[in-house]
């Protein structure tokens, strides 16, 4: 956008650019199939789908799904879960495995993300409702931040404090990704959900170990160690 506006000689002084620390973008085709599956199964329209609902707190997010007037959330928490399938990275779009923006070098004014390590950095702010990290990248971003800082509950951190994997490296292509797409193309979607909707062994292990790693205060160290041995 910045290059386009500059090329068109358009004044962008009033333009505020914000980006997000991103795990990857899921295939819209898989999402559409998932919605159609739920609507067909319950013979009604999907009213609500919250991917990381906070009914059980931010540390244990679970989907909140309402189809028609029926809450079916519990049935899709541990199995046939879109969130678990997403975390496997099988359904991540191809470009995300080679993302150029998984770094601290951002062209936006402000970068926002989940503050995964807040419990170690500032336990008093870990209310289990979620805390955001805000990285100021430009003078314009800093000016905007100063205008609203009095309305926010803030602590100042270093970049290592807000570290998370996708500030340093993109996702690896999972070994079973080709198998997923072959099954997606050739099998009934309900069968695909039964196979992949429980997540992957690696993803489920990460989910179990991450809270322990955070409590031990070694979240950043563990993430960098993972990069060394598992990320090419």
């Amino acid at each position: 956008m910045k290059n386009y506006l500059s090329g068109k000689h358009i004044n962008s002084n009033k333009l505020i650019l914000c980006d997000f620390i991103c795990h990857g973008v899921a295939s819209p085709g898989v999402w559409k199939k998932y919605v159609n599956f739920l609507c067909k199964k319950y013979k009604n329209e999907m009213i609500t789908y919250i991917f990381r609902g906070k009914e059980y707190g931010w540390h244990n997010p679970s989907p909140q799904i309402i189809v028609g007037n029926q809450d079916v959330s519990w049935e899709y928490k541990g199995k046939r879960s879109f969130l678990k399938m997403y975390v496997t990275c099988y359904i991540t779009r191809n470009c995300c495995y080679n993302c150029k923006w998984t770094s601290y070098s951002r062209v936006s004014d402000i970068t926002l993300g989940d503050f995964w390590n807040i419990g170690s950095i500032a336990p008093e702010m870990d209310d289990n409702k979620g805390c955001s990290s805000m990285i100021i990248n430009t003078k314009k971003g800093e000016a905007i931040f100063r205008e609203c800082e009095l309305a926010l509950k803030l602590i100042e951190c270093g970049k290592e404090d807000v570290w998370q994997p996708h500030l340093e490296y993109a996702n690896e292509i999972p070994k079973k990704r080709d198998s997923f797409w072959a099954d997606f193309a050739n099998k009934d979607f309900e069968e695909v959900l039964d196979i992949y909707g429980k997540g992957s062994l690696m993803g489920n292990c990460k989910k179990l170990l991450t809270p322990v790693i955070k409590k031990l205060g070694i979240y950043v160290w563990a993430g960098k160690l993972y990069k060394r041995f598992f990320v090419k």
Side-chain angles (χ1 to χ4, degrees):
M1 181 181 285
K2 291 179 82 169
N3 287 341
Y4 175 82
L5 294 177
S6 176
K8 294 289 184 179
H9 305 290
I10 297 172
N11 188 320
S12 60
N13 288 341
K14 293 185 179 180
L15 177 68
I16 302 167
L17 293 176
C18 179
D19 71 342
F20 299 90
I21 307 170
C22 178
H23 178 78
V25 180
S27 160
V30 176
W31 169 243
K32 185 176 181 180
K33 282 269 192 179
Y34 191 79
V35 173
N36 289 341
F37 162 75
L38 290 175
C39 292
K40 183 178 179 181
K41 181 176 176 65
Y42 296 101
K43 298 180 175 61
N44 220 319
E45 180 184 359
M46 180 182 287
I47 305 301
T48 300
Y49 195 105
I50 300 174
F51 289 85
R52 294 179 181 269
K54 298 180 184 179
E55 184 179 359
Y56 305 103
W58 180 70
H59 294 296
N60 188 27
S62 59
Q64 293 178 15
I65 312 168
I66 298 175
V67 183
N69 60 357
Q70 189 174 357
D71 187 333
V72 299
S73 308
W74 185 255
E75 297 177 52
Y76 300 94
K77 180 182 179 182
K79 58 183 181 179
R80 294 186 173 184
S81 166
F82 189 86
L83 178 58
K84 280 182 173 287
M85 194 159 53
Y86 167 70
V87 172
T88 66
C89 295
Y90 299 152
I91 64 174
T92 304
R93 301 179 83 173
N94 270 322
C95 57
C96 296
Y97 301 117
N98 190 34
C99 179
K100 303 290 191 299
W101 307 106
T102 47
S103 71
Y104 288 98
S105 299
R106 304 274 174 151
V107 298
S108 65
D109 298 304
I110 296 172
T111 297
L112 298 175
D114 290 312
F115 201 146
W116 293 111
N117 206 26
I118 189 64
S120 298
I121 303 303
E124 71 280 4
M125 292 187 70
D126 186 10
D127 58 4
N128 203 19
K129 294 179 181 179
C131 182
S132 297
S133 62
M134 180 185 292
I135 302 173
I136 310 300
N137 302 316
T138 66
K139 290 183 178 180
K140 184 192 290 187
E142 183 177 4
I144 295 160
F145 167 72
R146 295 302 176 194
E147 288 183 17
C148 62
E149 64 178 326
L150 293 178
L152 304 173
K153 183 178 179 181
L154 299 166
I155 57 168
E156 187 172 347
C157 301
K159 70 177 187 178
E160 283 294 306
D161 296 328
V162 298
W163 183 93
Q164 57 171 283
H166 302 306
L167 275 172
E168 193 163 317
Y169 52 86
N171 286 313
E172 281 285 282
I173 300 176
K175 292 180 180 179
K176 293 185 178 180
R177 187 177 191 273
D178 288 343
S179 298
F180 169 84
W181 284 107
D183 288 341
F184 182 75
N186 297 302
K187 293 182 178 181
D188 181 77
F189 186 68
E190 188 168 359
E191 188 178 355
V192 173
L193 269 182
D194 286 334
I195 298 170
Y196 299 99
K198 294 175 284 192
S200 64
L201 178 61
M202 178 67 81
N204 290 330
C205 286
K206 283 182 183 178
K207 182 176 175 59
L208 290 172
L209 289 173
T210 298
V212 178
I213 289 170
K214 288 176 181 174
K215 283 186 178 180
L216 292 173
I218 58 172
Y219 175 70
V220 175
W221 177 83
K224 290 180 179 288
L225 192 66
Y226 177 86
K227 176 190 176 184
R228 181 174 179 181
F229 288 101
F230 295 103
V231 179
K232 296 178 182 178

